[in-house]
Amino acid sequence: MNDDQLSLETIMATMVHDIKNSLGLINSQLDGVIHKLSKTSGEEVNSLVRVRLETSRINNDLMHMLGFYRLRTELLSPVIEDVFLEDLFTDVISRFDMTLSELNIDFSLSIAPEADCWFLDPVLTEGMLNNVLTNSIRYTHSKLSVKVLVTEDQWLKIQITDDGEGYPESMLNWHDEVSDINFKTGSTGLGLYFNQQIASMHETNGRKGYFELENDSDNGGAIFTLYLP
Amino acid sequence: MRETIDKKFLVIDDFNNVRKSIKSMLQTLGIQEIDEADNGQRATKKISQNKYDVILCDYNLGPGKDGQQLLYELRKKNMLPFTTIYVIITAETARIMVMGALEYSPDDYLAKPFALETLKQRLLRWLDRLDVTMPVLKAKDEQNSKKIVDEAKYIADSEPRYRGWAQKQISDVLIKSGELEQAEEFLKTVMGARAQAWAQFDQARLEMARNNLIEAVTILEDLVKKYPNHVAGYDCLAECYAKLNLPEKQVQALSAGIQQSPRNFDRQKTLADVANELEDHFIAGKAYKEVVGLAENSWQESTHHYNDLLSSLTLQFDETDDPEKRKALQRTIISYSKKLIKRFPDELNQVKYMARLYHIASDEKASPEQPQTQQALKKLRTDAEANISDFNPEVTAVAARVLYKHHQFKDGDELIESLKNAQTLDERIYEKLDQLQNEPISKYAREKALELNKHGMELYEKKNFDEAFDQFTEALQYSPRHAGLVLNYVQTGMQLVKNSSDTSTSKGMLNSCQEILDRLSYISERHSQYKRYQLLCGKLKKMREKL
């Protein structure tokens, strides 16, 4: 019986889980403070909102660590359901409501009528969208838009566009390879790698989900496009 | 949103200020009828007396039941109508983690703390859901299968937001009401659109309903391979294996389910009982510990679970030679005994007896030669006799087992006979008692005895009676009253006397044969060794008379 011996991975995962719970408390306290201050002073609030965005990023990283743990232990598998997309997006965006309004970001969401429902894992997709939106909000100047539609060859297309500086060259050349992950460039690519895993878990009739990164030819902002079969 | 909403709410949270803050938010949103409860018990009472549209329950309710236990109890006792929406509020932010912990699926989760805007959004969603799905929910409460199918079909066709939900309702009710052909057709269509875990799971349920267990196992094995966290899949798999009489496989499936979701009373209890039957006391002990923990503060809390646990721990104690492990087990036994006394002040007589019983059972110094042990065992016996109709029969059975362990065979037998006369016992306990009388020892000891017995029989065949006798003597140390073994010992002893000329050693040998043979006085005509026993009794009597 090797039962009393915990693997290092399990210990780390348990600790990460614990840290994430603490962070959750910190976040909610922060939200409370921001909410109170927002009625009076401007500048302090703005810097607190920035702090709050960074804690969101930490939270995303922790989520990824747990996600990788589950991937490695084969616990992560998509549970595909027929999901009403408006509900999914309302849930995702409600997390960012306060941040968006504090940072004066002009946000728009449009869901095409034919994209009412789609077969996907709502929990994993929500996590992926949270991750992408956190980054977009961090880098955008003043605008953020989410467009949801169904393409002619029956893919669900989710496009997130901002008006920031766009993706750096290294990220545009990113090709779903572990070797693309490195610590020198500052952006580790781990998030992208994880998102790619999640996207490709959505699979039917030989078609797998994927995403594309590009920069807007007009204003140079970043465009993240997710395709799910 | 200032208009009034004519719905009744219940808010359950142990903190007064949290309840007040949720209540005031709900009031802002136009809800007027709002009840509060600060713990599970008071919530249960309120729910039994009122019909609520929405219940908001915090996961953590302080000492006593938590939100999950409360939901489990309400579902188990059928106290929650389908037309009530049950929402769990939790500080856990990751839904994936919450889903792992919560199985008796609530209708929704709400991450704490939440803003008014969030609550408003959710509230609108709950109300819309109640509104649209009400015909199905009502039909469910009325248990009108045909109506459920008709209404759910209508929703599936006209309301995309609830299509998935409605499809699940249709499949579920078709299987439950035995419309299996229809269910099969329906699931085929669903799976044709897209393979979904719930539909595949229902295909397995369908085969189970048809009693096609092998087919169901195939589907379920594939399901849990694809969706390793499909807990209900493991449960059904375990159920199939139980029906196929494959308890080892059943244990495997239950253990896999428990790895995903350990906080489930029924699953832990089943695992513990099956492992106990298989005499895997390590798994059983671990699961009984969970059972005791999960039942705490709930209506299932009982001395029976403590007895199962303590019994399992003592069997582990008997099986292991490692002094460190023995010490650790002894400490665990003592701490659970103390807890037992603390938690059941109304059953003090029995729980104090149990504490004493398990103390002796795990006492390193206890031995049948010690006058102190003898005294303690006598008292165990007489106290069990005195309470024979009141005590849990399983406790009395353990008392008999401890008496046997210290070679008090007559006392053990008499205690078991008293128990059989005093109470109408169910078949399972009867069998257990029979088995106990026949061989009151652990699997380990039994295997050891079996091995020695086999070796002894080989030597006997070769007419090497001296060595055969040694083997049987050692085997009896492990299994002192196994009928076949006792008879082998006696038969070999008599053979040695036949070949010997020394009268005094022969006398001693025959006396010891008689003493050992007397251990079988409990066996009756239906016992497979009865004839041989009678035969040897006669022979031994003649030999002793001759000498």
Side-chain angles (χ1 to χ4, degrees), chain B residues 197-213:
Chain B
W198 72 266
Q200 189 178 346
F201 178 62
D202 273 9
Q203 285 179 326
R205 285 176 61 206
L206 176 78
E207 295 304 337
M208 284 173 78
R210 286 175 169 156
N211 216 22
N212 290 341
L213 296 173

Side-chain angles (χ1 to χ4, degrees), chain A residues 3 21 75 82 87 126, chain B residues 92 95 161 163 228-229 286:
Chain A
D3 229 47
N21 278 345
L75 286 172
D82 197 0
D87 288 350
E126 206 183 305
Chain B
E92 181 70 73
R95 248 167 86 191
R161 176 180 260 144
R163 187 162 61 213
N229 26 27
K286 214 168 146 190

Side-chain angles (χ1 to χ4, degrees), chain B residues 68-99:
Chain B
Q68 188 200 358
Q69 285 174 318
L70 177 63
L71 177 59
Y72 169 74
E73 183 174 338
L74 293 170
R75 290 250 200 266
K76 210 58 188 181
K77 292 183 173 173
N78 265 330
M79 286 176 69
L80 208 59
F82 291 106
T83 44
T84 297
I85 288 197
Y86 194 98
V87 182
I88 292 236
I89 301 172
T90 157
E92 181 70 73
T93 44
R95 248 167 86 191
I96 199 156
M97 294 297 166
V98 179
M99 305 248 266

Side-chain angles (χ1 to χ4, degrees), chain A residues 136 139 144 160-167 213-216 219-224:
Chain A
S136 302
Y139 291 109
L144 188 60
I160 299 170
T161 310
D162 66 45
D163 66 349
E165 302 298 317
Y167 291 114
L213 305 179
E214 58 190 311
N215 289 335
D216 197 327
N219 61 14
I223 305 177
F224 174 95

Side-chain angles (χ1 to χ4, degrees), chain A residues 67-68 70-71 73-78 124 194 198 201, chain B residues 96 228-229:
Chain A
F68 278 118
R70 294 175 85 89
L71 269 178
T73 51
E74 291 177 58
L75 286 172
L76 193 70
S77 57
L124 292 178
F194 189 71
I198 301 295
M201 277 181 177
Chain B
I96 199 156
N229 26 27

Side-chain angles (χ1 to χ4, degrees), chain A residues 1 3 17 20-21 24 28 63 66 70 74-82 84 86-87 90-91 94-95 97 116-117 119 122-124 126 202-204 229, chain B residues 91-97 99 112-113 117-118 121-122 125 160-164 167-168 190 193-198 226-229 260 280 282-283 286:
Chain A
M1 259 305 152
D3 229 47
H17 188 211
K20 211 179 67 57
N21 278 345
S28 63
M63 286 286 281
L66 287 175
R70 294 175 85 89
E74 291 177 58
L75 286 172
L76 193 70
S77 57
V79 179
I80 304 295
E81 283 175 55
D82 197 0
F84 191 66
E86 196 188 306
D87 288 350
T90 320
D91 281 348
S94 69
R95 282 176 190 247
D97 272 346
D116 57 349
C117 291
F119 285 111
V123 180
L124 292 178
E126 206 183 305
H202 290 83
E203 183 181 4
T204 185
Chain B
E92 181 70 73
T93 44
R95 248 167 86 191
I96 199 156
M97 294 297 166
M99 305 248 266
K112 185 168 76 166
E117 196 52 32
T118 314
Q121 261 173 26
R122 293 299 184 94
R125 214 181 280 176
R161 176 180 260 144
Y162 304 105
R163 187 162 61 213
Q167 285 177 336
K168 286 179 198 167
V190 172
R194 186 72 168 256
Q196 292 166 75
W198 72 266
K226 275 194 282 197
Y227 310 98
N229 26 27
Q260 299 302 323
D280 189 328
F282 182 78
I283 293 185
K286 214 168 146 190

Side-chain angles (χ1 to χ4, degrees), chain B residues 377 381 399-408 411-412 415:
Chain B
L377 291 171
R381 152 98 208 267
R401 195 175 83 206
V402 173
L403 289 170
Y404 287 136
K405 181 184 160 190
H406 293 298
H407 297 190
Q408 313 295 308
D411 278 350
L415 185 57

